[in-house]
Amino acid sequence: MRVGLFITCLSDVFYPEVGTSMVRVLRRLGAEIDFPEGQTCCGQPAFNSGYQQEAKRAARQMIQTFEGFEAVVTPSGSCAAMVRHYYPALFSGEAEWERRAEQFASRCFEFSEFMVKNWGDRHLPVKMDGTATYHHSCHMYRMLDLSDPPIRLLSQVEGLTLKELPYHQDCCGFGGTFAVKMADISTAMADEKVDHVCSTGADYLIGSDMSCLMHLGGRIRRKGHPVEVLHVAQVLDRGWMS
């Protein structure tokens, strides 16, 4: 299977190790991974701020870049939701681009969704000791309706005790540009979430969106809590037993 790696601009700039973990895990399972260099931001920041034409320009670039791949996989439920839900809507009324957007949307998957879809019945040889809790990011949880795949993967990790995060349905307060425009409210929401994380006694906070984890990880560090923040792909990569 030829898979295009859609790394997202935030992971590319701040967390490239998440991308390399994804590549290592998928290659161990037999996937052929390629990183098309023409990819750019998915356009979500512009779209959420009302800049439709700028978002369409980014979307056209992404659609052209990933045409030809059997599947496109990204370490972000939020960016996958942008492609899946809003790309076709952006080109509504433009027949040719709407068709290409719908084709791209049908082949674009969040990492854990793609893992469970293709290897859900396969036992993963992963071991990592400790206690973890999982943060469900809003776009992945509500827009993609993906709450089970990451939990299903993490439940397979030998030695890892998974505890449910209290009020897991609540937003962490990042929200892309919301964190910039409403910084005080955003920080208060993150602090409340961090309190819930610490109440579980978890050694690890695991998630599927580095934007949320960057926000929560920053507050965890500033408060001096000994909780390590990891993407699902990093857990599988780190604990993979050869």
Side-chain angles (χ1 to χ4, degrees), residues 32-130:
E32 179 188 346
I33 310 295
D34 191 13
F35 176 81
E37 294 185 359
Q39 64 184 280
T40 183
C41 173
C42 67
Q44 187 175 175
F47 180 79
N48 290 349
S49 298
Y51 297 101
Q52 300 286 300
Q53 294 308 312
E54 288 78 1
K56 287 175 73 170
R57 194 155 58 235
R60 285 194 191 94
Q61 176 69 23
M62 291 291 285
I63 291 168
Q64 290 172 324
T65 299
F66 283 103
E67 281 177 333
F69 286 94
E70 294 175 65
V72 177
V73 184
T74 178
S76 167
S78 183
C79 296
M82 175 67 192
V83 171
R84 191 91 59 85
H85 282 273
Y86 295 122
Y87 272 27
L90 269 174
F91 296 105
S92 178
E94 301 176 42
E96 177 61 17
W97 276 105
E98 188 174 4
R99 180 188 64 78
R100 294 168 73 175
E102 288 173 348
Q103 286 187 348
F104 182 30
S106 69
R107 293 181 289 106
C108 184
F109 301 93
E110 184 277 330
F111 172 71
S112 62
E113 175 188 27
F114 185 73
M115 289 282 293
V116 169
K117 173 182 168 61
N118 289 282
W119 298 284
D121 296 327
R122 177 171 170 171
H123 172 69
L124 300 178
V126 181
K127 184 178 189 307
M128 192 168 85
D129 294 326

